[in-house]
């Protein structure tokens, strides 16, 4: 498994059946994941919401060591779309599957 596929599996475990609409996780240092209610896949598809950060920031959010709200407030996580939706997605990604 590539690092991006490994990360997609971790995100899918949290997102399946819980994400409404679509979200792109853009990691310039690793790649881009498209996430919807079916899980996460490597794709450049357009999404309703785009979150941009390094792969380490996303990994920390998924592992629970980085609060997504704090990441946005400190500029580590950029949001293109609804900030309220971004907070909800952050809660889903940081919750145990």
């Amino acid at each position: 498994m590539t690092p991006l596929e490994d990360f997609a599996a971790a995100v899918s475990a949290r997102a399946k059946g819980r994400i409404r609409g679509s979200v792109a996780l853009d990691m310039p240092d690793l790649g881009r994941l498209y996430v919807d209610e079916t899980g996460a896949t490597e794709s450049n598809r357009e999404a309703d919401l785009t979150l941009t950060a390094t792969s380490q920031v996303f990994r920390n959010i998924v592992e629970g060591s980085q609060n997504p709200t704090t990441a946005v407030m400190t500029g580590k996580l950029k949001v293109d779309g609804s900030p309220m939706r971004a907070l909800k997605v952050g809660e889903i990604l940081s919750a145990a599957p």
Side-chain angles (χ1 to χ4, degrees):
M1 250 186 176
T2 69
L4 190 57
E5 290 170 336
D6 184 46
F7 191 65
V11 170
S12 288
R14 288 167 168 74
K16 275 189 182 175
R18 299 180 68 201
I19 295 283
R20 300 289 176 243
S22 60
V23 180
L25 304 182
D26 193 9
M27 298 167 277
D29 61 322
L30 187 61
R32 183 177 170 107
L33 294 179
Y34 177 85
V35 186
D36 63 14
E37 66 277 353
T38 64
T41 58
E42 184 177 354
S43 176
N44 285 324
R45 288 176 57 189
E46 286 297 315
D48 302 328
L49 174 69
T50 300
L51 303 177
T52 304
T54 65
S55 59
Q56 188 60 53
V57 169
F58 281 118
R59 193 168 310 281
N60 290 346
I61 289 170
V62 170
E63 292 173 352
S65 62
Q66 172 71 63
N67 179 294
T69 303
T70 302
V72 170
M73 300 301 270
T74 58
K76 292 180 181 178
L77 177 63
K78 301 207 181 337
V79 176
D80 183 11
S82 166
M84 294 305 289
R85 253 192 101 227
L87 291 175
K88 182 64 177 167
V89 168
E91 289 173 13
I92 291 169
L93 295 181
S94 62

